[in-house]
Amino acid sequence: SLIQRNYKFALFYLLILMYIFLISGHKSVYFTPVVMLFYYFLGSNYNKKIKLTLVFLFVFLIFINIPDLIIDSYLFRSLFVRRVFFLPSLLTEYYFEYFKDQPVYLSHSIFSSFIEYPYDVEPVHIIGREYFNNVKTSANNGLISDGYLNFGYMGVVIYSFIFSIILAVFNSIKINPKYYGIFVFYIMIFRGSAFLTVMLTHGFWLVLIFAFFIFPLSKVSKKNKLNP
Protein backbone atom coordinates (compact mmCIF):
# COMPACT_ATOMS: atom_id res chain seq x y z
CA SER A 1 0.00 0.00 0.00
CA LEU A 2 2.86 2.39 0.77
CA ILE A 3 4.58 1.58 -2.53
CA GLN A 4 1.32 2.27 -4.36
CA ARG A 5 0.83 5.39 -2.21
CA ASN A 6 -2.48 4.08 -0.93
CA TYR A 7 -2.04 5.46 2.58
CA LYS A 8 -5.59 4.74 3.74
CA PHE A 9 -5.10 1.02 3.16
CA ALA A 10 -1.66 1.17 4.78
CA LEU A 11 -3.21 2.66 7.91
CA PHE A 12 -6.02 0.10 7.80
CA TYR A 13 -3.55 -2.82 7.65
CA LEU A 14 -1.50 -1.29 10.45
CA LEU A 15 -4.62 -1.14 12.63
CA ILE A 16 -5.33 -4.80 11.80
CA LEU A 17 -1.85 -5.77 13.01
CA MET A 18 -2.36 -3.81 16.21
CA TYR A 19 -5.71 -5.53 16.74
CA ILE A 20 -4.10 -8.97 16.25
CA PHE A 21 -1.48 -8.03 18.83
CA LEU A 22 -4.14 -6.91 21.32
CA ILE A 23 -6.11 -10.17 21.07
CA SER A 24 -3.09 -12.51 20.91
CA GLY A 25 -0.29 -10.80 22.84
CA HIS A 26 2.35 -12.05 20.38
CA LYS A 27 5.28 -9.64 20.44
CA SER A 28 6.29 -10.65 16.92
CA VAL A 29 3.05 -9.18 15.58
CA TYR A 30 3.77 -5.93 17.40
CA PHE A 31 7.26 -5.62 15.94
CA THR A 32 6.29 -6.65 12.39
CA PRO A 33 5.25 -3.15 11.20
CA VAL A 34 8.25 -1.62 13.00
CA VAL A 35 10.70 -3.84 11.11
CA MET A 36 8.92 -3.46 7.77
CA LEU A 37 8.66 0.32 8.01
CA PHE A 38 12.28 0.63 9.16
CA TYR A 39 13.57 -1.07 6.01
CA TYR A 40 10.97 0.53 3.76
CA PHE A 41 12.24 4.01 4.58
CA LEU A 42 15.92 3.06 4.29
CA GLY A 43 15.72 3.26 0.51
CA SER A 44 16.43 0.78 -2.27
CA ASN A 45 20.14 0.08 -1.86
CA TYR A 46 20.76 -3.36 -0.29
CA ASN A 47 24.34 -2.59 0.76
CA LYS A 48 23.17 0.63 2.40
CA LYS A 49 20.48 -1.29 4.28
CA ILE A 50 23.01 -3.79 5.61
CA LYS A 51 25.46 -1.10 6.73
CA LEU A 52 22.74 0.96 8.41
CA THR A 53 21.40 -2.17 10.11
CA LEU A 54 24.80 -2.89 11.65
CA VAL A 55 25.18 0.75 12.73
CA PHE A 56 21.69 0.74 14.23
CA LEU A 57 22.39 -2.47 16.18
CA PHE A 58 25.66 -1.07 17.50
CA VAL A 59 24.00 2.16 18.67
CA PHE A 60 20.99 0.29 20.02
CA LEU A 61 23.11 -2.09 22.12
CA ILE A 62 24.86 0.88 23.69
CA PHE A 63 21.84 3.05 24.43
CA ILE A 64 19.56 0.22 25.61
CA ASN A 65 21.52 0.37 28.88
CA ILE A 66 20.36 3.91 29.65
CA PRO A 67 16.72 3.20 30.68
CA ASP A 68 17.90 0.30 32.85
CA LEU A 69 20.39 2.57 34.60
CA ILE A 70 17.68 5.15 35.18
CA ILE A 71 15.18 2.74 36.72
CA ASP A 72 17.86 0.48 38.26
CA SER A 73 16.66 -2.61 36.42
CA TYR A 74 17.65 -5.24 33.84
CA LEU A 75 14.27 -5.14 32.10
CA PHE A 76 15.24 -3.62 28.73
CA ARG A 77 18.52 -5.51 28.45
CA SER A 78 16.68 -8.72 29.26
CA LEU A 79 13.95 -8.14 26.66
CA PHE A 80 16.04 -6.82 23.78
CA VAL A 81 19.51 -8.26 24.34
CA ARG A 82 19.30 -11.43 26.41
CA ARG A 83 16.15 -12.78 24.73
CA VAL A 84 17.16 -11.84 21.20
CA PHE A 85 20.87 -12.75 21.19
CA PHE A 86 21.55 -15.17 24.03
CA LEU A 87 18.42 -17.14 24.94
CA PRO A 88 18.10 -18.88 21.51
CA SER A 89 21.67 -20.18 21.83
CA LEU A 90 20.98 -21.40 25.36
CA LEU A 91 17.81 -23.18 24.22
CA THR A 92 19.75 -24.81 21.38
CA GLU A 93 22.17 -26.22 23.93
CA TYR A 94 19.27 -27.53 26.01
CA TYR A 95 17.67 -29.24 23.00
CA PHE A 96 20.95 -30.89 22.03
CA GLU A 97 21.52 -32.04 25.58
CA TYR A 98 18.05 -33.44 26.26
CA PHE A 99 17.30 -35.08 22.90
CA LYS A 100 20.81 -36.46 22.38
CA ASP A 101 20.51 -39.72 20.40
CA GLN A 102 16.71 -39.61 20.90
CA PRO A 103 15.17 -37.92 17.83
CA VAL A 104 11.37 -37.93 17.71
CA TYR A 105 11.04 -38.05 13.89
CA LEU A 106 8.15 -35.55 13.79
CA SER A 107 6.03 -37.95 15.86
CA HIS A 108 4.65 -34.92 17.72
CA SER A 109 3.70 -33.33 14.40
CA ILE A 110 2.78 -34.54 10.92
CA PHE A 111 3.99 -38.13 11.51
CA SER A 112 1.94 -38.62 14.66
CA SER A 113 -0.32 -41.14 12.87
CA PHE A 114 2.62 -43.33 11.89
CA ILE A 115 5.17 -42.97 14.70
CA GLU A 116 4.39 -43.16 18.41
CA TYR A 117 5.48 -40.08 20.31
CA PRO A 118 7.57 -41.21 23.31
CA TYR A 119 6.85 -38.31 25.69
CA ASP A 120 3.83 -37.09 27.63
CA VAL A 121 4.02 -33.42 26.53
CA GLU A 122 5.23 -31.46 23.50
CA PRO A 123 9.00 -30.95 23.10
CA VAL A 124 8.74 -27.22 23.87
CA HIS A 125 7.05 -28.05 27.19
CA ILE A 126 9.58 -30.78 27.96
CA ILE A 127 12.39 -28.22 27.80
CA GLY A 128 10.28 -25.84 29.88
CA ARG A 129 9.71 -28.50 32.53
CA GLU A 130 13.24 -29.87 32.64
CA TYR A 131 15.21 -26.62 32.47
CA PHE A 132 12.82 -23.90 33.66
CA ASN A 133 10.81 -25.93 36.19
CA ASN A 134 7.52 -25.04 34.52
CA VAL A 135 5.75 -27.40 32.14
CA LYS A 136 3.62 -24.51 30.87
CA THR A 137 6.70 -22.74 29.52
CA SER A 138 6.86 -23.01 25.73
CA ALA A 139 10.59 -23.09 25.05
CA ASN A 140 10.28 -22.57 21.31
CA ASN A 141 13.47 -22.50 19.32
CA GLY A 142 14.53 -22.36 15.71
CA LEU A 143 15.81 -24.22 12.70
CA ILE A 144 18.87 -25.92 14.22
CA SER A 145 17.15 -27.12 17.40
CA ASP A 146 14.13 -28.34 15.46
CA GLY A 147 16.28 -30.27 13.00
CA TYR A 148 18.22 -31.97 15.80
CA LEU A 149 15.06 -32.67 17.82
CA ASN A 150 13.46 -34.55 14.93
CA PHE A 151 16.33 -36.20 13.04
CA GLY A 152 19.53 -35.66 15.00
CA TYR A 153 22.55 -34.16 13.27
CA MET A 154 21.19 -35.27 9.89
CA GLY A 155 18.13 -33.12 10.59
CA VAL A 156 20.35 -30.09 11.15
CA VAL A 157 21.96 -30.69 7.75
CA ILE A 158 18.62 -31.32 5.98
CA TYR A 159 16.83 -28.32 7.46
CA SER A 160 19.80 -26.04 6.83
CA PHE A 161 20.02 -27.27 3.23
CA ILE A 162 16.31 -26.64 2.60
CA PHE A 163 16.59 -23.19 4.16
CA SER A 164 19.60 -22.44 1.93
CA ILE A 165 17.61 -23.46 -1.14
CA ILE A 166 14.80 -21.10 -0.11
CA LEU A 167 17.29 -18.24 0.29
CA ALA A 168 18.81 -19.07 -3.10
CA VAL A 169 15.36 -18.90 -4.70
CA PHE A 170 14.71 -15.50 -3.17
CA ASN A 171 18.16 -14.34 -4.27
CA SER A 172 17.37 -15.33 -7.87
CA ILE A 173 14.29 -13.08 -7.94
CA LYS A 174 14.75 -9.35 -8.37
CA ILE A 175 12.65 -8.41 -5.37
CA ASN A 176 11.92 -4.79 -4.64
CA PRO A 177 14.28 -3.75 -1.79
CA LYS A 178 11.38 -2.01 -0.05
CA TYR A 179 10.14 -5.49 0.97
CA TYR A 180 13.45 -6.23 2.69
CA GLY A 181 11.91 -5.93 6.15
CA ILE A 182 9.56 -8.85 5.55
CA PHE A 183 12.48 -11.19 4.93
CA VAL A 184 14.44 -9.87 7.90
CA PHE A 185 11.38 -10.53 10.03
CA TYR A 186 11.04 -14.11 8.76
CA ILE A 187 14.72 -14.84 9.36
CA MET A 188 14.04 -13.86 12.97
CA ILE A 189 11.01 -16.16 13.00
CA PHE A 190 13.01 -19.09 11.61
CA ARG A 191 15.51 -18.49 14.41
CA GLY A 192 12.83 -18.92 17.07
CA SER A 193 10.21 -21.32 15.70
CA ALA A 194 10.01 -24.85 14.33
CA PHE A 195 10.67 -25.19 10.61
CA LEU A 196 7.31 -26.69 9.59
CA THR A 197 5.46 -24.30 11.90
CA VAL A 198 6.98 -21.31 10.10
CA MET A 199 6.30 -22.82 6.68
CA LEU A 200 2.69 -23.82 7.33
CA THR A 201 1.12 -21.79 10.13
CA HIS A 202 3.30 -18.65 10.22
CA GLY A 203 2.43 -17.80 6.64
CA PHE A 204 5.79 -18.37 4.97
CA TRP A 205 4.13 -20.34 2.16
CA LEU A 206 2.23 -17.15 1.35
CA VAL A 207 5.48 -15.17 1.26
CA LEU A 208 6.84 -17.69 -1.27
CA ILE A 209 3.85 -17.03 -3.52
CA PHE A 210 4.11 -13.26 -3.09
CA ALA A 211 7.83 -13.41 -3.87
CA PHE A 212 7.03 -14.51 -7.42
CA PHE A 213 3.88 -12.53 -8.17
CA ILE A 214 3.90 -9.34 -6.02
CA PHE A 215 7.36 -8.59 -4.64
CA PRO A 216 9.48 -8.54 -7.84
CA LEU A 217 10.82 -5.12 -8.83
CA SER A 218 9.47 -5.40 -12.38
CA LYS A 219 5.94 -5.99 -11.13
CA VAL A 220 6.06 -2.93 -8.88
CA SER A 221 7.58 -0.80 -11.63
CA LYS A 222 4.76 -1.66 -14.02
CA LYS A 223 2.14 -0.83 -11.40
CA ASN A 224 3.78 2.48 -10.66
CA LYS A 225 3.68 3.35 -14.35
CA LEU A 226 -0.04 2.67 -14.38
CA ASN A 227 -0.59 4.53 -11.11
CA PRO A 228 1.85 7.47 -11.01
Side-chain angles (χ1 to χ4, degrees):
S1 296
L2 289 174
I3 291 173
Q4 298 302 315
R5 299 178 184 176
N6 193 331
Y7 301 116
K8 290 182 180 179
F9 270 109
L11 179 60
F12 175 68
Y13 297 137
L14 181 63
L15 291 175
I16 287 178
L17 283 172
M18 292 300 98
Y19 175 72
I20 293 174
F21 170 71
L22 289 173
I23 63 174
S24 67
H26 291 302
K27 293 182 291 295
S28 59
V29 177
Y30 183 79
F31 285 107
T32 300
V34 176
V35 174
M36 289 193 295
L37 291 174
F38 176 77
Y39 286 103
Y40 173 82
F41 288 109
L42 279 185
S44 300
N45 188 303
Y46 277 116
N47 291 328
K48 179 182 177 182
K49 287 177 185 288
I50 294 172
K51 291 177 181 178
L52 289 176
T53 298
L54 294 175
V55 171
F56 173 79
L57 283 175
F58 180 74
V59 174
F60 177 79
L61 291 174
I62 292 176
F63 284 93
I64 196 63
N65 294 286
I66 295 176
D68 279 342
L69 292 174
I70 294 174
I71 63 175
D72 191 22
S73 170
Y74 293 98
L75 176 63
F76 289 92
R77 279 173 288 182
S78 179
L79 287 175
F80 297 106
V81 179
R82 182 186 65 85
R83 293 197 58 160
V84 174
F85 296 102
F86 294 99
L87 185 59
S89 298
L90 180 63
L91 289 175
T92 298
E93 183 177 341
Y94 288 161
Y95 272 86
F96 273 64
E97 181 179 79
Y98 190 85
F99 294 102
K100 184 179 181 180
D101 301 323
Q102 301 179 52
V104 300
Y105 301 106
L106 292 172
S107 58
H108 65 298
S109 181
I110 59 174
F111 290 163
S112 59
S113 300
F114 312 102
I115 303 174
E116 183 179 356
Y117 182 60
Y119 300 102
D120 58 334
V121 293
E122 293 288 308
V124 294
H125 296 299
I126 291 176
I127 300 300
R129 179 176 62 191
E130 297 297 323
Y131 293 95
F132 299 98
N133 299 316
N134 187 352
V135 71
K136 295 182 179 180
T137 297
S138 295
N140 297 295
N141 211 25
L143 194 74
I144 303 300
S145 300
D146 189 44
Y148 186 80
L149 157 71
N150 287 295
F151 302 104
Y153 286 109
M154 184 56 66
V156 176
V157 175
I158 293 172
Y159 279 24
S160 298
F161 178 74
I162 296 173
F163 185 63
S164 299
I165 294 296
I166 292 173
L167 293 180
V169 170
F170 284 140
N171 193 48
S172 67
I173 306 170
K174 293 183 178 179
I175 295 175
N176 188 329
K178 291 185 180 294
Y179 292 110
Y180 191 79
I182 295 176
F183 298 97
V184 171
F185 172 75
Y186 266 102
I187 287 174
M188 295 168 61
I189 294 296
F190 269 111
R191 196 175 58 87
S193 299
F195 182 74
L196 289 180
T197 301
V198 178
M199 295 296 295
L200 300 177
T201 65
H202 286 5
F204 194 70
W205 63 272
L206 195 59
V207 174
L208 289 171
I209 296 174
F210 283 2
F212 286 96
F213 299 104
I214 296 179
F215 294 163
L217 190 60
S218 59
K219 302 282 185 182
V220 177
S221 300
K222 289 179 182 179
K223 290 180 180 179
N224 284 338
K225 288 180 181 180
L226 294 173
N227 301 291

